[in-house]
Amino acid sequence: MDNNYPFDEEQIWFNDYADEEDDFQIDEYDLTSTPNDFNVITIYNFMESGAVKIPGFQRNYVWDINRASKLIESIILGLPIPQIFLYEEARNKFLIIDGQQRLMSIYYFIKGRFPLKEKRVELRRIFEKDGSIPDKILSNENYFSKFDLSLTQKLPEQPNKFKGLNYHTLGDYKTQFELRPIRNVIVKQNFPKDDSSSIYEIFNRLNSGGVNLYPQEIRASLYHSPFYEMLNRLNMEEGWRKLLQMNEPDIHMKDVELLLRGFAMLIDGEDYAPSLPKFLNNFSRRSRKNTQEQNDYLENLFKSFLRQFESLPEDPFIGKRNKRFHIALFEAVFASICKPIFLQHEFLDSPIDISKIKQIETDGQFIKASSEGTTKKTNVEIRLKRAKDILGIQG
C-alpha cells in the first residue's frame, strides 16, 4: 500500500463489515420541489454570501480544467446544462444536493482561479479551518493556477473564440455569461420536522454529477457541527493516522466515518438498530446539540485511547490476512474499553493488552458475527459482547 496516495479511488485500505448493508428505507415523509431560474451571477453571489452552502464533500473538487471549461462554454453559448438541486435547510440557507461540481466550476471561473489537483486535500483542511478559501490562498500559485478556458480546436481554420479567455477577458460575452439562467430545483422537507433521513436518501439518489458521493461525504454536509469539527481534528492526529497506516486523509472521508462509528457504538451501541446509515445519521443529528464541554471530553477520551497504542510494536487493527484496517474490530474494542471510562467521565490510563485484541480477531463467534448479516442487531451485540468478555471488561 502506498500511503502517500490515499486519494486513489481504486485503493481499498479497509475491511468493512457493512459492505453488504441493505438498501436504505425511507419512512413516510412530505417534500416539496420548486423550480427556480437563477442567472449565473446571482448563483455566484448566493455562494459568495453563504446562502448556498458548499458542503463538506465539495471541498474535494474533482473536475479537471477541460471539463470545467466545456461547462463554461456551454453556458456562454446558451446550451442546456443539467439542473441543480438545492435543499432548503432554513430560510435563505441552502445545501447543494446535486450539481456541486458545476456550481464550483462557475465559482472558480468567476474567481479566475483553478485548484491544483495535488493540493485539493490540503484545501479541504484550509476550508475546514477558515470556513472558506482566503484570498491569500486563492492568489497563491502553490494552490491555484489561472482559470483560462481550456477548449479544443477541431479545425485550424476555425479557431475557438473562447479558448484561452478568462472571466475578465470575455468582453461582450461576459454579460451574456452572467445573465444566463440555470434551472435550480429547491427541495424542502415539510415532514417530519426532526428527522432528515429522507434528505440523506435524496442526496444519495439525486447525486449524478459524474462522481458518486460516499455516505460520510453526504453526512459532512447534512450534519456539520462542532462535533464534526472535533472528528476532523481527531482525524489528523498522528496516533490515529498510525493506526490506519495512512499518512493523509481519505478523500471520501471514510476515516472520519470510522471515528463516527466508534463514538456511535460507544454512546448509543446498546440501542443500535438497523440500518447502519440511519443509526449513524441519527447519532450525527443528535450530536449537533453537544456542548463544547461534551465535545472536548470525547476528543480527550479518544486521545487517551490513542496513547495506549503509542509503544506497541505492531498495529492491532490491521488484519493479518488481508492487511486492511479491520473496522468491526476497531469499533468493538474502542466501544468496549471506553464504555466504563465514559460512564465515569474519566480517561484511559492503563495499557491495552494487544494479545487480547488479536484474540478477539480470531474468536469464532466474533468472526461469524462479522462475516454474514453483519449489520443485524444481534450480530452487533455479539461483537460488542465478545470484545467485552475477552478484554475482561466488568459491568
Side-chain angles (χ1 to χ4, degrees):
M1 178 186 302
D2 189 342
N3 291 339
N4 292 320
Y5 297 95
F7 42 80
D8 182 357
E9 293 186 3
E10 298 302 318
Q11 184 185 70
I12 302 298
W13 51 268
F14 54 85
N15 185 36
D16 191 355
Y17 69 79
D19 286 343
E20 63 175 49
E21 179 67 52
D22 292 335
D23 288 342
F24 190 87
Q25 178 176 325
I26 301 178
D27 296 324
E28 183 179 353
Y29 63 92
D30 177 40
L31 302 168
T32 56
S33 300
T34 308
N36 295 269
D37 289 332
F38 299 131
N39 62 39
V40 167
I41 199 64
T42 297
I43 293 173
Y44 168 79
N45 288 332
F46 283 164
M47 297 178 71
E48 186 77 340
S49 69
V52 171
K53 181 181 174 183
I54 303 169
F57 55 79
Q58 183 54 54
R59 297 163 205 157
N60 290 318
Y61 182 66
V62 297
W63 277 15
D64 60 30
I65 197 167
N66 296 324
R67 187 170 184 180
S69 295
K70 288 180 181 178
L71 174 76
I72 301 302
E73 181 188 36
S74 295
I75 294 173
I76 296 172
L77 294 174
L79 297 176
I81 68 170
Q83 59 192 359
I84 307 295
F85 283 86
L86 303 175
Y87 165 53
E88 186 175 347
E89 184 180 34
R91 184 168 182 171
N92 296 324
K93 293 291 181 182
F94 304 93
L95 297 176
I96 305 168
I97 298 177
D98 183 49
Q100 65 269 22
Q101 301 296 317
R102 280 162 272 155
L103 290 182
M104 284 306 293
S105 295
I106 292 170
Y107 182 83
Y108 284 135
F109 181 67
I110 293 177
K111 287 290 187 183
R113 308 294 288 166
F114 196 81
L116 302 180
K117 184 176 181 180
E118 64 273 16
K119 290 293 185 179
R120 293 177 187 181
V121 171
E122 188 173 348
L123 285 171
R124 182 175 76 182
R125 297 179 201 160
I126 294 172
F127 196 106
E128 196 67 52
K129 177 176 178 292
D130 298 325
S132 63
I133 301 175
D135 288 340
K136 65 179 181 180
I137 298 296
L138 276 168
S139 60
N140 191 327
E141 298 296 329
N142 292 322
Y143 292 92
F144 288 87
S145 61
K146 289 182 63 178
F147 195 158
D148 294 332
L149 293 175
S150 176
L151 298 164
T152 58
Q153 185 172 305
K154 295 182 179 180
L155 298 174
E157 64 276 10
Q158 295 180 5
N160 189 316
K161 56 188 173 184
F162 302 120
K163 183 179 180 180
L165 297 182
N166 57 53
Y167 176 67
H168 297 289
T169 61
L170 282 177
D172 293 340
Y173 292 101
K174 183 169 177 286
T175 301
Q176 184 170 308
F177 168 73
E178 292 176 340
L179 297 182
R180 288 293 189 194
I182 296 177
R183 174 59 57 93
N184 288 255
V185 178
I186 296 177
V187 181
K188 182 179 181 180
Q189 178 172 307
N190 304 311
F191 176 84
K193 294 290 186 182
D194 59 349
D195 183 356
S196 56
S197 296
S198 62
I199 297 300
Y200 174 89
E201 185 59 13
I202 290 170
F203 268 77
N204 231 356
R205 297 187 184 194
L206 286 184
N207 169 59
S208 60
V211 179
N212 291 331
L213 297 180
Y214 284 60
Q216 192 58 31
E217 294 177 301
I218 299 173
R219 291 188 196 102
S221 173
L222 286 180
Y223 306 112
H224 185 76
S225 64
F227 171 74
Y228 261 51
E229 292 172 4
M230 180 272 289
L231 292 183
N232 289 330
R233 287 195 301 273
L234 286 178
N235 194 43
M236 298 307 300
E237 282 290 318
E238 182 179 353
W240 175 237
R241 305 310 318 167
K242 183 179 177 182
L243 282 184
L244 294 175
Q245 292 196 0
M246 290 177 62
N247 294 335
E248 296 292 338
D250 181 69
I251 196 168
H252 296 300
M253 299 183 171
K254 188 67 180 182
D255 41 11
V256 177
E257 184 183 88
L258 301 192
L259 292 169
L260 174 68
R261 285 162 67 162
F263 282 119
M265 289 297 175
L266 167 66
I267 297 170
D268 287 344
E270 294 174 358
D271 299 319
Y272 170 82
S275 70
L276 180 63
K278 189 170 185 178
F279 173 69
L280 295 177
N281 292 347
N282 288 336
F283 179 75
S284 296
R285 178 173 50 81
R286 287 192 298 273
S287 297
R288 298 175 78 170
K289 299 178 181 178
N290 282 9
T291 64
Q292 183 65 47
E293 181 182 5
Q294 287 173 315
N295 289 332
D296 288 344
Y297 169 71
L298 292 176
E299 184 171 3
N300 289 319
L301 173 63
F302 191 79
K303 288 180 179 179
S304 74
F305 175 77
L306 291 178
R307 283 195 291 272
Q308 309 314 312
F309 297 94
E310 288 178 348
S311 59
L312 293 182
E314 57 181 313
D315 192 320
F317 300 115
I318 300 298
K320 288 183 178 180
R321 181 177 59 83
N322 55 25
K323 302 301 180 182
R324 295 176 179 175
F325 189 85
H326 197 322
I327 295 178
L329 182 63
F330 162 71
E331 284 178 356
V333 170
F334 175 70
S336 299
I337 287 179
C338 291
K339 189 67 174 184
I341 305 298
F342 171 76
L343 294 175
Q344 296 297 321
H345 206 75
E346 296 175 350
F347 302 103
L348 286 171
D349 57 6
S350 301
I352 297 173
D353 188 347
I354 190 173
S355 66
K356 297 290 187 182
I357 298 178
K358 293 302 179 183
Q359 187 178 339
I360 298 170
E361 182 184 6
T362 56
D363 178 74
Q365 293 183 54
F366 188 88
I367 292 174
K368 184 177 181 181
S370 305
S371 303
E372 185 176 345
T374 50
T375 61
K376 292 180 179 179
K377 182 177 178 66
T378 52
N379 282 331
V380 171
E381 290 174 343
I382 288 171
R383 292 197 298 273
L384 293 175
K385 184 177 186 305
R386 290 305 297 152
K388 182 178 175 181
D389 291 346
I390 294 172
L391 290 166
I393 305 297
Q394 302 298 318

